[in-house]
Amino acid sequence: MSRHSVAREASRLDRRLESLDEARELAEGVLPEAALEDVFRLLERASSRRSLSADHTVVGFFGATGSGKSSLFNAVSGAEIATAAARRPTTSEPLAGIWGAEGSEPLLDWLDVRNRHHAVPVEGFADEDTGLILLDLPDFDSTRAANREIVERMVGLVDVLVWVLDPQKYADAAVHNDFLKPLAAHGAVTLVVLNQVDRLPERDVQPVLESLQGILARDGLGKVQVLGASALRGTGVDRVRSAIRSVAVQRQALSQRLAADVSRASMQLRLVSGEGEAAGVSSSSKARLTDELAVAANVPVVVSAVGRSYRLESTRRTGWPATRWLVRFRADPLRRLNLRSANPSQLNRTSLPPAGAPERARTDAAVREFADAASAGAPGPWRAAIRGAAREGREALPDALDQAIAGTDLMASRKSWWWGVFNVIQWLALLTALGGLGWLGVLAGLAYFQMPVPEVPRVEGWPVPTLMIAGGVVLGIFLALTGKFIGAGVANARAARARKRLRTAVGDVAQGMVVEPVEVEVTRLKSFNTALKAAAGS
């Protein structure tokens, strides 16, 4: 592979690792901690491995007891590096055969491999320029827990995995279920060798290899290279060497291994997360939430009070002066609610009834319905996160709504221009009527004392004083009734404006305490899916 291709693959791997880390961070608090911890450990391993020698390819030999793993390791290495057979029935700790010692020490320290052997060049396979490290590892079915731990750790660290199986136990569930199947994404850096084929009749070798390939296909490793070999007789050893060398000289195994790790981690995150996108917040669901919260916060009560307060004030200012004083004995609905203020921002609380069980139930139902609509289509854990975000501020919601109402300018203190006009005319009408009464009273007094009574002017035969009284009273009553009709219309208009202002205030509270937290979670899910898709290489 060319240098530019290697650089391009490395850059692509960088982006995938960054995307996986982004997905992990986005999923914190939503997905199980154990799954996120696995991803974090992978990212740490990837960072550590990439900081070490990229000129070395680490190939691990894995196998069960009796599979001839160490013998095959020796055969491939061209030297008795590992003690095998009767003198050492099991491998107890990792042993390294190294071609290209320069720069390998930090890498082997990171792998925690203390037994190191600088292998002699093998023509056509490896020399000091190859940068190859072969590891003979403990048996994965060892009864010693420490050996099993070493194998499990190395499975996650080596660049290339060589699984050495034998004809008798090649279908063993332990190796397939515990190791091969979980590493289905690592087919590009996996090699399976059926060792000890010399123990099989020649006619059975190919059927056994085909059987092994079928099992691997069921494990998700259908494209893995499967080779038959005999370490004892040297059969197939050259093919094993060729396969390993091909991977080593391309300098691609490290990137392929990490890319496979990222794919596997992405798949595991997808499994615990689930598929799907949240429906998100719609304008209709937001409007319904605002409406329901407005009712629960007694906005209709306040709107009604605004209208009744205006009508009451109109009557007090434009009613018939002879009877309007009676209105003073009626309490102002807004003042009773502690909402008649020229400076609403100074109000902290209203005198509305505190939210009881019905109001809280209505609030909870509105929030729950909104969250359900926004989370529709989201996977289970994310749906729970979206609902949790919506409910997070529900305890403080009633107080916040009350404060929002208290801080809303209801424009209750604004006067209407027509009040002054009607008031002046009402007083003129009253004075006219009183003037007529006074005139008639003077005339009556003069007649009572037998004094000359002047002639009263008449209009169409009606005495002017009488007309003054009748006109003043009729005009006053007419203005009072007209004022009531006008006041009712203006009161309805003011109530409508107050409803709009209060609904806006309630909407602002809902936006800050319910909608925005939900939108954050919906966006987080969308970003998570995008990052996870990028990490998976899709």
Side-chain angles (χ1 to χ4, degrees), residues 71 74 79-91:
S71 298
N74 288 335
E80 289 289 323
I81 297 176
T83 304
R87 290 173 293 166
R88 186 177 178 221
T90 60
T91 306

Side-chain angles (χ1 to χ4, degrees), residues 196-228:
Q196 302 174 350
V197 293
D198 54 296
R199 296 185 178 182
L200 292 172
E202 189 172 344
R203 65 178 182 277
D204 292 339
V205 173
Q206 191 57 36
V208 171
L209 287 173
E210 291 175 357
S211 173
L212 175 55
Q213 286 178 323
I215 296 172
L216 291 171
R218 290 195 294 272
D219 292 338
L221 292 164
K223 295 183 179 180
V224 167
Q225 190 174 4
V226 180
L227 301 174

Side-chain angles (χ1 to χ4, degrees), residues 301-511:
V301 174
V302 177
V303 171
S304 175
V306 169
R308 287 186 290 116
S309 176
Y310 183 85
R311 286 193 292 270
L312 191 66
E313 188 67 13
S314 293
T315 301
R316 190 177 71 81
R317 291 178 178 270
T318 65
W320 194 29
T323 58
R324 71 170 62 170
W325 60 274
L326 294 173
V327 178
R328 297 182 182 275
F329 294 100
R330 295 170 60 186
D332 187 334
L334 283 179
R335 199 175 302 281
R336 186 182 299 169
L337 297 177
N338 193 31
L339 288 173
R340 178 172 285 283
S341 173
N343 189 5
S345 62
Q346 295 179 348
L347 296 175
N348 293 321
R349 298 282 306 185
T350 71
S351 295
L352 286 165
E359 289 78 19
R360 288 187 177 274
R362 186 164 196 149
T363 299
D364 289 347
V367 171
R368 184 171 58 252
E369 181 182 350
F370 174 78
D372 288 345
S375 64
W382 293 94
R383 189 163 58 248
I386 293 171
R387 291 172 175 172
R391 294 194 301 266
E392 189 173 347
R394 64 179 176 178
E395 292 299 324
L397 195 54
D399 284 341
L401 290 171
D402 189 80
Q403 291 175 16
I405 291 173
T408 301
D409 184 6
L410 301 175
M411 305 175 70
S413 299
R414 294 183 62 180
K415 300 177 181 179
S416 292
W417 63 267
W418 64 275
W419 286 353
V421 175
F422 272 52
N423 189 46
V424 169
I425 297 174
Q426 280 283 29
W427 280 107
L428 289 175
L430 180 62
L431 290 175
T432 300
L434 290 175
L437 282 173
W439 193 344
L440 290 178
V442 170
L443 294 176
L446 291 174
Y448 181 78
F449 289 108
Q450 301 294 311
M451 296 179 68
V453 178
E455 185 69 24
V456 178
R458 294 176 178 270
V459 176
E460 297 291 332
W462 293 89
V464 171
T466 303
L467 290 175
M468 290 173 64
I469 295 171
V473 171
V474 170
L475 180 60
I477 294 173
F478 172 78
L479 288 174
L481 293 174
T482 303
K484 280 186 176 295
F485 281 110
I486 296 175
V490 176
N492 290 337
R494 286 207 174 184
R497 286 197 295 270
R499 180 184 296 106
K500 185 176 181 180
R501 286 171 173 262
L502 289 168
R503 191 179 183 281
T504 299
V506 170
D508 290 342
V509 173
Q511 180 72 24

Side-chain angles (χ1 to χ4, degrees), residues 8-74:
R8 194 162 50 246
E9 285 300 314
S11 177
R12 186 167 181 267
L13 179 59
D14 283 338
R15 292 193 296 272
R16 292 184 64 188
L17 287 167
E18 289 172 2
S19 296
L20 181 61
D21 191 33
E22 182 184 355
R24 179 192 64 83
E25 291 177 348
L26 289 167
E28 286 182 354
V30 178
L31 300 185
E33 198 64 36
L36 300 181
E37 186 64 29
D38 287 343
V39 174
F40 183 72
R41 284 196 294 268
L42 161 63
L43 293 168
E44 282 193 322
R45 287 200 308 269
S47 177
S48 298
R49 177 63 184 93
R50 298 183 84 197
S51 67
L52 299 168
S53 175
D55 294 328
H56 287 83
T57 301
V58 182
V59 180
F61 279 66
F62 300 87
T65 305
S67 63
K69 167 176 53 63
S70 295
S71 298
L72 183 63
F73 174 86
N74 288 335

Side-chain angles (χ1 to χ4, degrees), residues 146-346:
N147 288 358
R148 173 87 177 193
E149 291 173 2
I150 291 173
V151 172
E152 290 176 347
R153 183 172 63 86
M154 287 299 183
V155 163
L157 298 179
V158 300
D159 302 328
V160 179
L161 303 101
V162 177
W163 294 95
V164 183
L165 308 178
D166 66 88
Q168 292 182 330
K169 295 187 292 185
Y170 71 88
D172 186 6
V175 66
H176 289 277
N177 294 335
D178 296 348
F179 294 102
L180 290 171
K181 189 177 291 185
L183 293 171
H186 294 67
V189 291
T190 299
L191 176 65
V192 177
V193 179
L194 182 66
N195 194 23
Q196 302 174 350
V197 293
D198 54 296
R199 296 185 178 182
L200 292 172
E202 189 172 344
R203 65 178 182 277
D204 292 339
V205 173
Q206 191 57 36
V208 171
L209 287 173
E210 291 175 357
S211 173
L212 175 55
Q213 286 178 323
I215 296 172
L216 291 171
R218 290 195 294 272
D219 292 338
L221 292 164
K223 295 183 179 180
V224 167
Q225 190 174 4
V226 180
L227 301 174
S230 170
L232 182 62
R233 296 184 179 178
T235 306
V237 172
D238 286 340
R239 294 182 63 196
V240 176
R241 285 175 176 170
S242 177
I244 294 174
R245 176 178 172 78
S246 175
V247 173
V249 297
Q250 289 183 17
R251 297 286 190 270
Q252 202 178 356
L254 171 58
S255 295
Q256 289 179 332
R257 167 62 206 251
L258 293 179
D261 286 341
V262 173
S263 295
R264 182 188 179 198
S266 302
M267 190 183 306
Q268 289 174 333
L269 277 186
R270 176 58 68 200
L271 286 175
V272 296
S273 168
E275 298 276 356
E277 290 281 2
V281 176
S282 65
S283 56
S284 59
S285 65
K286 195 156 54 171
R288 179 166 177 77
L289 172 67
T290 300
D291 290 341
E292 290 298 306
L293 291 182
V295 174
N298 290 313
V299 165
V301 174
V302 177
V303 171
S304 175
V306 169
R308 287 186 290 116
S309 176
Y310 183 85
R311 286 193 292 270
L312 191 66
E313 188 67 13
S314 293
T315 301
R316 190 177 71 81
R317 291 178 178 270
T318 65
W320 194 29
T323 58
R324 71 170 62 170
W325 60 274
L326 294 173
V327 178
R328 297 182 182 275
F329 294 100
R330 295 170 60 186
D332 187 334
L334 283 179
R335 199 175 302 281
R336 186 182 299 169
L337 297 177
N338 193 31
L339 288 173
R340 178 172 285 283
S341 173
N343 189 5
S345 62
Q346 295 179 348

